[in-house]
Amino acid sequence: MKGKRETHKNRIRRSKWDWAFDLTNGAIMIFLVIVTAYPMYYIICASFSESAQLRAFQGLLLAPIHFTTGAYKMAFEHPLILSGFRNILIILAVSLPINIILTLICGYFMASKNVMFKKIFIIYFMITMFISGGLVPGYLNIRDLGLYDSLWALILPGAVSVYNAIIAKTAIEGIPDSLIESAYMDGAGELTILFRIIMPLIKPTVAVLLLYYGVGHWNSWFNASIYIDNQDLLPIQNVLRAILIENSDILGSGATGDVDVTVNQYTETIKYATIVVSTLPILVVYPFIQKYFTKGVMIGAVKG
């Protein structure tokens, strides 16, 4: 009975100002959710709409206009869009193993103790975060190495991020020294210790690094615009950028016959369908990595 009375008193103590604050706060949160979510909802509705009707429509779009999946059919049939997805998947498949391996090696080196000239190398690594050779030297370097107009020009230059290597270093430093010393006593080498002992113990950090590198490659378009001249080698983000920002006829120039007619028919909605298709993979993958994300980021944030 006493507990019920205390609960009843707590309910009575809430004044009208408390209720007003809660209602106002809830209304603001709902408004912010709507403002944030509506642009994506608009894109989804527009992608399922008829192109001519969408161009003539004005106001809030709450549902597709003359529902059609023609824009998505076009997106999955057009050779340039398909090659864009193929290229970005190749880049991810080749880049991510290289990124993780080199980042862990770099982080392991920086976390190791009793390494000669360690501080000098760390300072050298840190300098590269703030100072680079510049755009023109980078272009000349890619050209002289024979990487120009190839996917390797999008893979090798960004193979290691110093920021991500520092996150790996911090995670590795959290592993007890006794565990590594025991591996040495059992005859394990450096690479064995790194990839068979340390790497399984820092899975959350590795998952976060994969997410960082993956999203970085997926959203990257600048390097491809400089180093890639062949349209068939362009990643999907460059194709999307040409459609949306440059108002380019890149789809028409890459199509022939019936496909070209379909491009003209879905000129407006193909933009929105391509946005949805290019965004969906990241949205699908993220929930599977989310459970590691907070832990992996906090490891890099708390320790120095």
Side-chain angles (χ1 to χ4, degrees), residues 50-295:
E50 191 177 76
S51 185
Q53 298 292 332
L54 182 63
R55 281 197 297 266
F57 180 80
Q58 294 181 349
L60 292 175
L61 184 63
L62 301 178
I65 305 173
H66 294 180
F67 183 89
T68 176
T69 58
Y72 285 95
K73 183 179 180 181
M74 172 66 205
F76 286 110
E77 288 182 353
H78 196 283
L80 199 55
I81 296 178
L82 292 178
S83 66
F85 278 108
R86 180 198 65 205
N87 293 331
I88 192 60
L89 291 177
I90 292 174
I91 291 171
L92 289 174
V94 177
S95 294
L96 291 181
I98 295 175
N99 295 146
I100 292 300
I101 290 172
L102 295 182
T103 300
L104 290 178
I105 291 175
C106 185
Y108 181 59
F109 168 80
M110 291 192 291
S112 299
K113 299 178 180 179
N114 301 322
V115 176
M116 188 176 294
F117 306 121
K118 173 183 172 181
K119 289 186 178 179
I120 297 176
F121 282 109
I122 292 178
I123 292 173
Y124 177 77
F125 294 155
M126 296 292 292
I127 289 174
T128 63
M129 293 180 65
F130 308 101
I131 302 174
S132 66
L135 182 60
V136 174
Y139 175 85
L140 295 176
N141 191 33
I142 293 295
R143 186 195 64 183
D144 294 341
L145 290 173
L147 301 178
Y148 183 78
D149 207 19
S150 72
L151 293 181
W152 287 110
L154 310 180
I155 296 172
L156 296 180
V160 179
S161 166
V162 178
Y163 177 81
N164 291 341
I166 293 173
I167 294 177
K169 164 185 172 292
T170 307
I172 293 172
E173 287 176 341
I175 297 176
D177 294 335
S178 57
L179 185 63
I180 298 176
E181 291 172 359
S182 299
Y184 277 127
M185 294 177 63
D186 291 337
E190 300 290 349
L191 293 179
T192 301
I193 293 173
L194 176 58
F195 292 108
R196 299 189 62 181
I197 297 176
I198 293 178
M199 186 174 175
L201 294 176
I202 59 171
K203 282 183 179 180
T205 302
V206 174
V208 171
L209 295 179
L210 282 172
L211 181 65
Y212 283 169
Y213 279 118
V215 173
H217 288 302
W218 189 270
N219 291 333
S220 178
W221 60 268
F222 185 71
N223 287 346
S225 66
I226 298 173
Y227 303 137
I228 302 297
D229 189 46
N230 185 356
Q231 286 189 354
D232 292 334
L233 295 178
L234 290 175
I236 185 59
Q237 294 301 337
N238 289 80
V239 177
L240 181 60
R241 182 176 184 273
I243 298 171
L244 296 178
I245 299 178
E246 298 177 357
N247 198 21
S248 171
D249 191 29
I250 189 171
L251 293 180
S253 63
T256 57
D258 295 336
V259 178
D260 191 18
V261 176
T262 309
V263 170
N264 295 329
Q265 184 179 356
Y266 295 102
T267 304
E268 188 71 18
T269 54
I270 187 66
K271 301 177 183 179
Y272 300 105
T274 308
I275 293 174
V276 173
V277 173
S278 61
T279 306
L280 191 60
I282 297 297
L283 297 179
V284 170
V285 171
Y286 183 79
F288 296 98
I289 307 178
Q290 186 179 10
K291 61 181 180 180
Y292 300 112
F293 189 77
T294 303
K295 184 177 179 181

